[in-house]
């Protein structure tokens, strides 16, 4: 299994909780599938279904992670107002 030297979320690798095949950042709760992380990555049209992206729990985690990323990027983004 590859060692995780950096996290895409920007937090330090010491902030990872490993549980079975999953690693999760203790700060923002971004997560990685450690088994999949160890392989070469090839994204194709089968990827979302293969990785259970349509599963409700996975979807909820993705929304939570996206909200964290958007909040982090907020100062760099100009989003239209909802008013």
């Amino acid at each position: 299994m590859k060692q995780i030297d950096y996290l895409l979320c920007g937090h330090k690798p010491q902030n990872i909780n490993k549980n079975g095949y999953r690693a999760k950042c203790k700060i923002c709760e971004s997560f990685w599938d450690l088994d999949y992380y160890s392989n070469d990555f090839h994204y194709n049209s089968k990827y979302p279904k293969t990785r259970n992206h349509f599963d409700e729990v996975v979807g909820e985690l993705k929304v939570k992670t996206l909200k964290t990323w958007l909040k982090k990027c907020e100062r760099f983004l100009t989003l239209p107002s909802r008013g």
Side-chain angles (χ1 to χ4, degrees), residues 2 34-41:
K2 282 184 189 176
L34 295 173
D35 294 337
Y36 203 77
Y37 180 83
S38 298
N39 299 326
D40 288 333
F41 178 76

Side-chain angles (χ1 to χ4, degrees), residues 39-74:
N39 299 326
D40 288 333
F41 178 76
H42 299 287
Y43 190 94
N44 59 37
S45 62
K46 295 179 185 175
Y47 179 84
K49 187 171 183 176
T50 303
R51 304 299 301 149
N52 297 317
H53 284 205
F54 304 113
D55 178 81
E56 185 175 341
V57 173
V58 172
E60 289 172 2
L61 290 171
K62 288 188 167 297
V63 168
K64 187 174 186 177
T65 300
L66 178 60
K67 283 181 181 178
T68 302
W69 278 101
L70 289 174
K71 187 173 183 176
K72 184 179 273 198
C73 296
E74 192 170 45

Side-chain angles (χ1 to χ4, degrees), residues 7-11 25 27-28 30 65-77:
L7 303 180
L8 294 174
C9 61
H11 297 114
C25 177
I27 298 170
C28 68
S30 293
T65 300
L66 178 60
K67 283 181 181 178
T68 302
W69 278 101
L70 289 174
K71 187 173 183 176
K72 184 179 273 198
C73 296
E74 192 170 45
R75 63 185 170 145
F76 302 108
L77 299 174

